[in-house]
């Protein structure tokens, strides 16, 4: 059976109390993780934006959009890593179809 891959988009929000250096390291960490397990990885940093509602007493967050193509197992692993990474306030992974 052939491995089915689909296009995914991820938006994650980094806590703005992190230094510029720490934010850069987190973005690089997730980009490199995606490049190891997926193809056509693109990262777009939206920068600091106001949140729709307060999260952990913060009213702003550093937004990052990442898109990639992979099999179904990688997004689950990526979601797990987001969950255990200090400084990630929220993340959402959406499948954009094949």
């Amino acid at each position: 059976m052939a491995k089915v891959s689909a296009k995914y988009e991820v938006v994650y929000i980094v806590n703005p109390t992190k230094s510029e250096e720490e934010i850069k390291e987190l973005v690089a960490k997730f980009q490199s993780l995606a490049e190891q397990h997926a193809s056509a990885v693109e990262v777009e940093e939206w920068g600091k934006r106001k949140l729709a509602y307060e999260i952990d007493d913060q009213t702003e967050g550093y937004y990052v959009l990442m898109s990639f193509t992979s099999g179904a197992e990688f997004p689950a692993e990526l979601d797990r890593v987001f969950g255990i990474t200090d400084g990630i306030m929220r993340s959402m992974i959406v499948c954009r179809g094949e």
Side-chain angles (χ1 to χ4, degrees):
M1 193 165 112
K3 207 173 189 182
V4 179
S5 59
K7 289 187 166 105
Y8 292 90
E9 275 187 359
V10 182
V11 173
Y12 60 95
I13 307 172
V14 180
N15 192 316
T17 59
K18 295 279 183 204
S19 69
E20 264 184 56
E21 197 55 45
E22 290 172 310
I23 290 172
K24 271 193 175 77
E25 285 171 16
L26 282 173
V27 172
K29 169 187 171 170
F30 290 117
Q31 182 172 358
S32 118
L33 185 66
E35 286 168 349
Q36 290 168 28
H37 300 278
S39 59
V41 177
E42 287 178 38
V43 175
E44 203 177 300
E45 293 184 47
W46 292 349
K48 262 190 195 168
R49 299 212 172 167
K50 193 163 174 50
L51 298 170
Y53 53 90
E54 232 176 69
I55 303 173
D56 303 329
D57 298 324
Q58 297 295 324
T59 57
E60 284 190 325
Y62 190 89
Y63 282 71
V64 182
L65 169 71
M66 182 167 70
S67 56
F68 57 86
T69 302
S70 79
E73 62 290 325
F74 175 61
E77 171 62 12
L78 184 61
D79 196 40
R80 186 189 73 79
V81 175
F82 278 134
I84 60 173
T85 302
D86 182 44
I88 300 299
M89 295 165 61
R90 289 285 188 278
S91 65
M92 187 167 81
I93 303 174
V94 179
C95 179
R96 305 293 291 177
E98 288 183 43

